[in-house]
Amino acid sequence: MLWLLAAAGCEYTCGEEAIDVEFVPESLRTKIGCDTTLRLTFSPIEATDSKHLITIDAPIVRSLVDDLNATQTVGRAVPSHQPESVRDVSQRLFDEYTVDGGSVHLGGCTLEDRPILRVTYVDRSIGKARLCHHFINLTGEPIEESLVERLGLKQLVPLSRSIQVTDDQCVRWRHVGETAVEGLQQSAEVEVVLTTVVWCKYAEGKLAFVIKDATTSIAFSDWAQLFVDGSTKPPALACPSFPQGSCHLAATDDGEIVPIEAIATCSESGKRVIASDLETCNATGAKALPEFFSSCPASGVRVLRKVLVTCETCQQSVSPTSCELSQCSACRSLANVSKDDPRMARLLGEYPRLDRWSRWKLSETATAYVLVANSLVKRLLVVVDKNDLKLLRLAKGSQFTKKWTEALELDRSADLR
Ligand SMILES: [Zn+2]
């Protein structure tokens, strides 16, 4: 009612039991049959004239509505409380973020008036006349009740600014409103009284984050009022390492701004990097950059290079987790091999004198063959590179001891070629 009076150009004060209209525009006075002032009461006992009692069907209410429909096609209103400036929204957004060693500012923001339609209708289907409001978007879809509450659509004031709308547009909106209510309740007892376009502020923009030389930005958009009352949180920054996102941001040493939860420190270099860029050492559990890692040739696991140990048999650098009694898993699992084995054939091709031995046992790592040749009394250990069959170790032993003695340079040709 107050909105209707204000929209018609009246000035008033509203008490608990009555509205005192202190000024009625001249054009309205004859239509509603009153003087320059008017008292409207909510109580039938106090009303001295049926015109001055506020009910849905009161002649004065009808006159005001008819006048508005005739002159403006649709009513125009705004929520009584909503953000009016970008600043109202931006400060609220900034407060949500913590930027370690940096700052957040607006990288552009617009506050646009977007229309929502309020269709006012009288429902007489339950006997007593009831005045209802139905809120819809421009395509006639209903606005959720919770959004109606949060946008303050139940406390409207007349639009004081001018927003350019064509007459055609107003007619279309009125039609959308009437159709929506018809779809809601098809009854002869439902009468659409008025469609009002409510202009709500919609915020759209980008937040820019700066930490030293690093920058990044996030786009945001929603009803401005929802950002201000906190029911819409500004978007969190996400990255593949922390897809759920966070509003607490920090920069890596390489100058990338990410959620702080996505940052970890390399145990070797002390560098702050994206956590997913770090590898975990299979032996110690430490997390470091891949450049500090090696693959164990015996077991294939990745370990920090500094924790590698030397296998006493093949003398390769292997993970401590694959070593037992100073022997790697390959050297512990030598298996009998015949000349038909393609690996053995390769070895005999390169080192034909190995053929003089009666039995061989072979094993391999990712990079080397480990071969032990046996005779009745003696043993020979041959470790060669798998790629080029280059000799890595040649040692001699006997069947009576596990010890190996390095072969002299002289023995190399005698034993192998
Ligand atoms: Zn070994």
Side-chain angles (χ1 to χ4, degrees):
M1 184 67 206
L2 293 176
W3 171 81
L4 203 52
L5 286 169
C10 298
E11 288 169 18
Y12 56 82
T13 49
C14 181
E16 272 188 22
E17 289 170 355
I19 303 168
D20 282 309
V21 185
E22 287 137 4
F23 173 76
V24 182
E26 207 173 340
S27 59
L28 263 182
R29 285 177 214 162
T30 44
K31 285 182 195 164
I32 59 177
C34 71
D35 218 339
T36 47
T37 61
L38 184 65
R39 185 175 165 88
L40 301 166
T41 166
F42 301 114
S43 150
I45 303 159
E46 265 198 44
T48 52
D49 184 326
S50 65
K51 268 189 290 195
H52 300 158
L53 174 66
I54 304 171
T55 65
I56 293 165
D57 293 316
I60 181 168
V61 176
R62 284 285 155 167
S63 297
L64 287 170
V65 169
D66 290 347
D67 187 53
L68 202 145
N69 273 328
T71 55
Q72 301 181 38
T73 314
V74 292
R76 290 140 214 253
V78 289
S80 60
H81 294 287
Q82 71 169 342
E84 289 299 329
S85 71
V86 167
R87 200 184 158 80
D88 293 340
V89 178
S90 61
Q91 195 51 52
R92 192 71 184 78
L93 294 175
F94 295 163
D95 292 346
E96 289 292 325
Y97 295 93
T98 305
V99 185
D100 288 359
S103 60
V104 53
H105 58 88
L106 272 184
C109 180
T110 56
L111 217 54
E112 183 196 354
D113 289 298
R114 289 200 182 177
I116 285 178
L117 301 180
R118 182 186 73 171
V119 196
T120 307
Y121 62 96
V122 179
D123 181 1
R124 293 189 175 82
S125 61
I126 51 162
K128 195 181 163 209
R130 196 163 57 100
L131 191 71
C132 309
H133 296 305
H134 181 48
F135 293 89
I136 54 173
N137 64 20
L138 297 189
T139 58
E141 297 294 319
I143 307 286
E144 271 181 39
E145 182 60 26
S146 59
L147 186 60
V148 169
E149 292 286 343
R150 283 182 294 155
L151 291 181
L153 298 181
K154 291 187 174 168
Q155 290 86 43
L156 301 184
V157 292
L159 177 68
S160 55
R161 301 165 285 129
S162 155
I163 295 178
Q164 284 297 322
V165 185
T166 63
D167 291 344
D168 280 357
Q169 189 69 74
C170 293
V171 170
R172 267 202 300 280
W173 285 343
R174 192 159 146 179
H175 179 68
V176 168
E178 285 165 1
T179 311
V181 169
E182 276 167 26
L184 202 67
Q185 212 168 346
Q186 264 196 334
S187 160
E189 289 157 327
V190 171
E191 178 204 354
V192 173
V193 180
L194 179 68
T195 295
T196 306
V197 53
V198 185
W199 296 100
C200 295
K201 295 285 184 192
Y202 194 88
E204 210 162 11
K206 269 186 177 177
L207 289 165
F209 303 91
V210 182
I211 302 176
K212 291 179 190 158
D213 294 338
T215 57
T216 193
S217 63
I218 310 179
F220 64 88
S221 63
D222 207 339
W223 297 107
Q225 177 61 29
L226 304 188
F227 284 124
V228 171
D229 72 16
S231 55
T232 292
K233 295 286 175 199
L237 183 74
C239 76
S241 276
F242 197 68
Q244 59 269 56
S246 168
C247 288
H248 187 174
L249 312 183
T252 64
D253 285 353
D254 289 334
E256 191 181 349
I257 299 177
V258 290
I260 191 145
E261 293 86 348
I263 294 183
T265 303
C266 167
S267 68
E268 297 305 290
S269 63
K271 208 169 160 185
R272 279 161 57 84
V273 296
I274 305 278
S276 60
D277 287 349
L278 299 182
E279 274 194 65
T280 304
C281 176
N282 191 271
T284 63
K287 290 177 185 296
L289 286 166
E291 65 201 73
F292 297 100
F293 278 77
S294 273
S295 293
C296 165
S299 61
V301 300
R302 297 275 292 165
V303 288
L304 280 172
R305 218 165 21 249
K306 70 176 188 186
V307 304
L308 288 171
V309 294
T310 303
C311 167
E312 280 188 3
T313 305
C314 67
Q315 293 184 341
Q316 293 182 87
S317 293
V318 294
S319 163
T321 54
S322 77
C323 243
E324 273 175 35
L325 299 170
S326 304
Q327 265 200 323
C328 75
S329 52
C331 294
R332 294 198 308 276
S333 57
L334 290 162
N336 290 329
V337 67
S338 73
K339 275 199 226 178
D340 304 331
D341 188 295
R343 297 169 298 173
M344 198 59 216
R346 266 189 88 196
L347 285 167
L348 286 170
E350 184 73 13
Y351 302 111
R353 292 204 132 191
L354 285 175
D355 201 14
R356 294 193 305 174
W357 297 77
S358 52
R359 300 182 324 273
W360 308 276
K361 284 189 168 200
L362 181 71
S363 182
E364 61 183 296
T365 69
T367 53
Y369 290 126
V370 181
L371 180 79
V372 175
N374 293 281
S375 71
L376 210 54
V377 183
K378 291 200 240 171
R379 299 199 302 158
L380 185 71
L381 171 69
V382 187
V383 183
V384 302
D385 185 293
K386 256 163 97 164
N387 272 335
D388 55 12
L389 300 182
K390 219 177 107 199
L391 192 65
L392 301 174
R393 187 182 189 198
L394 182 68
K396 294 181 168 189
S398 85
Q399 297 294 350
F400 313 110
T401 170
K402 284 189 169 179
K403 244 184 94 183
W404 294 107
T405 308
E406 297 310 308
L408 299 172
E409 194 61 39
L410 205 66
D411 297 329
R412 295 200 169 199
S413 51
D415 287 323
L416 299 173
R417 288 198 168 106

